Amino acid sequence: MEKAKQQKAMQVSKYNKNNPGTHSHKKSTSGNSLRARLIEKPDYYDYSLVAAIILLTCFGLIMLYSTSAYTSTLRFGDDMYFFKKQAAISFVCIAGALFISLFDYHILARFTGALYAMAAASMILVRTPLGTVSNGARRWLKIGPIQFQPAEIAKIAVIVCLSYMIVHMGKKMNSLRACMTLGGMGTFLAMLAYVCTDNLSTAIIIFCITAGMIFVAHPKTRIFLIIAGTVILFVAIIVLIIGQTVQKTDDFRLNRIVAWLHPENATGDAAYQTIQALYAIGSGGFLGRGLGNSIQKLGSVPEAQNDMIFSIICEELGIVGGVILLILFAYLLYRLFFIAQNAPDLFGSLLVSGVFIHIALQVILNIAVVVNLMPNTGVTLPFISYGGTSIMFLMAEMGMALSVSRQIKFKAP
């Protein structure tokens, strides 16, 4: 018996020696699977986007202190009043964005209806006793110690809800009905922002985010270019008619359009802020007066730390400083574009595309107003202008984008 076992073992050994592919195949298979596991990275995190956010926030805090030190000393007896509030909110919100990024962004799909309803309801509540007036505008909600602008929630709501709806529509996105449904959802929130909070600039931004996301998701481009060209032509004709026929009116929005067309002839406060901002940019020249040496911030530019902060940046740091800031914004948008392109699914790609559209819109509108390329709209400069509500919801959007980036996976060729 023992002899038979020895003979069988010798036969197997001889077979393996003459057929080496048997074990080498197993070895190569396990080696390939191990190599595949090593090639595929478990997680990706866009640290470049985090760096861009931190750089923009720090740049904004430096310029906020330089811009607001004189005003905050006069009002509150503390040259760091605005700076300390913004710095505290900014760093808490950066930590919040990093915390949000740890969660799976697909969780948002469960709360799209609730988020949309909350955005609509909060804007309606502005017209109730919970609404608060600040700087002559009733746009804030105050619930206990917390005060915020509900229109900012609507920006996030329209991004999340439209992304969810587009994914579920699938191939139906080609139809006119789908586009009308999406457009109606976004336009409803835009109308509430205008009617309930009297905030035309935010209403325009919400509507443009809606149009931009439909454009991104729709397979056809030509029809959108035709519509955009028609709208621009129509708006240009209306503006020209207003400029030729309206001389004096009680409507402050019409006054802003007239003042934009003819700032040298404007009376009162209609063009004052814009003219002073242009003086600031012109006096800064190429290299600027130097950090902290602005003259226009000493009362000439009202509320310079808010919408017109870019003019003070150009006065103190010159055209060079303004261009550097634009490069930082361009890099931030590039990182968002990269994440949107490499997102693991359509929902993630649309979320980040919506964030991209929102930030690009606000940067373009703010700078266009400061250099008098369009009428004054009251749009803040993201990460730079003073405002706790703005920075809070911007960081929430950054957290969503970073959450999408964490699920990007790359394989080596």
Side-chain angles (χ1 to χ4, degrees), residues 85-86 89 93 147-148 385-394:
K85 287 186 69 176
Q86 187 80 347
I89 293 170
C93 289
Q147 182 172 311
F148 63 96
S385 295
Y386 176 73
T389 304
S390 174
I391 198 73
M392 181 171 64
F393 288 104
L394 278 171

Side-chain angles (χ1 to χ4, degrees), residues 10-72:
M10 289 178 63
Q11 287 174 354
V12 170
S13 175
K14 186 177 179 181
Y15 174 79
N16 288 338
K17 190 174 180 181
N18 294 331
N19 299 276
T22 306
H23 289 286
S24 64
H25 176 69
K26 283 188 178 181
K27 187 176 179 181
S28 65
T29 303
S30 61
N32 286 337
S33 62
L34 177 62
R35 193 178 299 111
R37 288 197 297 270
L38 291 173
I39 288 172
E40 186 176 353
K41 297 181 181 179
D43 281 315
Y44 170 80
Y45 199 83
D46 203 317
Y47 292 103
S48 298
L49 178 60
V50 176
I53 294 167
I54 293 172
L55 281 172
L56 276 168
T57 303
C58 292
F59 184 90
L61 289 172
I62 292 168
M63 293 312 305
L64 176 65
Y65 175 71
S66 177
T67 302
S68 65
Y70 176 78
T71 304
S72 58

